[in-house]
Amino acid sequence: MAAGQRVCAVAEIGAEEAKRFTVDGIDVAVVRASDGSLHAVNDICSHEEVSLSDGFVEGCALECIGHGSAFDLVTGEPNVLPATAPVAVYALAVEDDSVWVDTATVLNSASLNS
């Protein structure tokens, strides 16, 4: 069994879609990038208290609907201002057609929103 918590079936995350789940009390956005890969990032924008899962997926980035900041889904780093701090990127595994997220394993150095 994969580490962390099962959040959904793989098929529940459509192309270029983000969905919010609560894992261990943390709001997490599970995102399917344009290339079909799945990622898990903290759902709260590091610039303001806005849900990233309400935003837009473009390539391998998730854009916040608040002020247009976009975050790289692999590194968590903002690549569009006004955000300057990264969001946490969590371990994600696919096992038996299920998506598992482990918020205890942060894959980047983000301390804000982790």
Side-chain angles (χ1 to χ4, degrees):
M1 179 180 293
Q5 177 180 316
R6 182 191 183 279
V7 294
C8 65
V10 171
E12 290 180 51
I13 309 296
E16 297 183 332
E17 182 178 37
K19 286 192 175 181
R20 178 180 42 241
F21 300 93
T22 301
V23 180
D24 300 322
I26 299 171
D27 288 334
V28 175
V30 175
V31 185
R32 187 177 299 274
S34 297
D35 67 1
S37 60
L38 290 168
H39 305 271
V41 299
N42 191 285
D43 188 51
I44 304 302
C45 178
S46 64
H47 173 249
E48 287 200 2
E49 295 288 315
V50 176
S51 173
L52 291 175
S53 59
D54 291 336
F56 308 97
V57 178
E58 187 170 319
C60 194
L62 181 57
E63 181 181 332
C64 177
I65 63 168
H67 291 101
S69 292
F71 298 88
D72 185 285
L73 294 171
V74 174
T75 67
E77 293 292 327
N79 52 28
V80 176
L81 295 173
T84 58
V87 293
V89 177
Y90 303 112
L92 179 146
V94 174
E95 185 175 295
D96 297 328
D97 200 38
S98 291
V99 177
W100 293 75
V101 175
D102 182 3
T103 57
T105 304
V106 179
L107 302 177
N108 63 351
S109 60
S111 58
L112 183 64
N113 293 325
S114 58

